[in-house]
Amino acid sequence: MALNKKKKDVILSSNSQHITIAAKDLSIGYKNLRVASDINFNSHSGELIGIVGVNGIGKSTLLRTLGKIQTPLSGSILINNNALNILDNSALASEISIVLTEAIASKNLRVLELIALGRQPYTNWIGTLNKHDKSKISEVIQMLQLEDLVHKKCYELSDGQLQRVLIARALAQDTSIILLDEPTTHLDLYHKVQILKLLKSITEKTKKTILFTSHEIEMVIQLSDQMLVLKETDSSFGKPSQLIKQGAFDNLFPSDTVSFDADTGTFRISK
């Protein structure tokens, strides 16, 4: 019996995933405005996690809080088992890379130069790239198939191309966690799907954790490993199939406008 138990323990240990972000009883917002509260979730290595919800519910605020750009109003956040609030900027830059919706500082940069900025946490004080830095940059350029764009200026790129370059910069930073705010904004249907499938492929190949916000709820349902349905006080987290069974999407929008079809995983316009 003891031998069988030992074997079982080994199997459980080998199949367990590392928790990369743990949020407990988290409340987010600003000094005089609580946007959402009682947020609880664990993300694991190799997972693609979609964050959805109505406009103004705090999706971007949550990402900024997880990236330590904003301070949580209450609750706790652990990053790879370390409290977020004790991580200094240098330690944080080796744990989390983040791509927000703000425009990049200069679109006069060449694609290669922008991607190389992802290595800043590791370079010396004058930003000299060593052999390892150049290898990482080359690796992500190949992964995202950007070889034909590396010498172009960023202002010459389409929205979809620029989004791939920004993801490449985040990948070049080589963190275990990547936070992306609305990575499919301004893209047509084909390029939205292309970006989300790319993110899915990255998590599978690199075992990094990617959390992203999106308004494309139906696509997120189809492609995410886990989802956070963000609400003011009653957020839900889990596999898309579990959330559908729990009715997490049923009351997301006013029923006289749109309704959720649990059988198809789609929203229907109420006529």
Side-chain angles (χ1 to χ4, degrees):
M1 289 293 291
L3 181 60
N4 289 338
K5 182 180 185 298
K6 186 176 181 179
K7 285 184 177 179
K8 183 179 180 181
D9 289 344
V10 171
I11 292 171
L12 289 173
S13 176
S14 64
N15 289 337
S16 63
Q17 290 176 296
H18 172 66
I19 295 176
T20 50
I21 297 183
K24 184 176 181 182
D25 300 330
L26 184 65
S27 292
I28 59 172
Y30 305 88
K31 186 175 181 180
N32 299 315
L33 176 63
R34 187 180 300 269
V35 177
S37 58
D38 300 321
I39 302 168
N40 294 274
F41 69 90
N42 290 337
S43 67
H44 297 83
S45 56
E47 285 186 336
L48 180 63
I49 299 173
I51 302 170
V52 301
V54 299
N55 284 348
I57 199 59
K59 297 184 294 294
S60 297
T61 302
L62 175 59
L63 278 196
R64 293 170 68 90
T65 304
L66 296 175
K68 207 182 177 183
I69 298 171
Q70 286 184 221
T71 304
L73 300 183
S74 62
S76 64
I77 301 171
L78 295 180
I79 303 297
N80 289 317
N81 294 320
N82 296 305
L84 177 63
N85 63 333
I86 68 169
L87 295 176
D88 61 22
N89 290 339
S90 177
L92 190 65
S94 66
E95 299 281 9
I96 296 176
S97 53
I98 183 167
V99 179
L100 299 174
T101 54
E102 287 88 347
I104 61 174
S106 174
K107 286 195 173 183
N108 282 320
L109 289 174
R110 297 189 184 279
V111 166
L112 183 60
E113 294 170 333
L114 181 58
I115 296 172
L117 290 178
R119 298 304 300 168
Q120 276 190 331
Y122 312 104
T123 59
N124 59 27
W125 66 276
I126 57 174
T128 304
L129 299 172
N130 61 29
K131 186 177 180 180
H132 178 69
D133 295 321
K134 293 176 181 178
S135 175
K136 280 292 178 185
I137 292 167
S138 177
E139 182 182 312
V140 300
I141 287 171
Q142 292 177 29
M143 183 183 296
L144 274 71
Q145 299 179 348
L146 296 170
E147 293 92 338
D148 294 339
L149 301 178
V150 290
H151 298 299
K152 281 194 172 186
K153 293 288 187 78
C154 290
Y155 66 76
E156 298 177 302
L157 304 179
S158 68
D159 288 335
Q161 289 172 333
L162 181 58
Q163 195 58 254
R164 284 164 55 208
V165 171
L166 292 173
I167 293 169
R169 183 188 66 182
L171 276 173
Q173 195 172 329
D174 199 23
T175 57
S176 62
I177 301 164
I178 299 175
L179 308 178
L180 303 173
D181 195 13
E182 294 287 350
T184 59
T185 298
H186 307 309
L187 302 182
D188 60 29
L189 179 61
Y190 170 76
H191 288 95
K192 288 179 191 289
V193 174
Q194 189 181 53
I195 289 294
L196 293 182
K197 290 182 72 173
L198 172 63
L199 297 181
K200 179 71 171 176
S201 173
I202 290 170
T203 58
E204 292 173 347
K205 290 178 181 178
T206 67
K207 301 307 176 186
K208 297 180 185 296
T209 302
I210 298 180
L211 291 86
F212 71 101
T213 62
S214 179
H215 287 97
E216 312 298 333
I217 301 176
E218 294 174 6
M219 292 185 192
V220 178
I221 288 173
Q222 293 182 61
L223 290 170
S224 292
D225 297 303
Q226 306 266 15
M227 290 181 68
L228 176 65
V229 183
L230 195 60
K231 297 180 182 178
E232 188 175 345
T233 58
D234 191 24
S235 298
S236 303
F237 180 78
K239 295 181 183 299
S241 58
Q242 295 171 337
L243 295 176
I244 290 173
K245 290 179 181 178
Q246 294 168 8
F249 305 103
D250 293 353
N251 300 313
L252 199 55
F253 303 105
S255 58
D256 61 346
T257 305
V258 291
S259 59
F260 184 73
D261 186 333
D263 292 329
T264 61
T266 59
F267 288 91
R268 298 185 179 277
I269 298 173
S270 300
K271 298 180 180 180

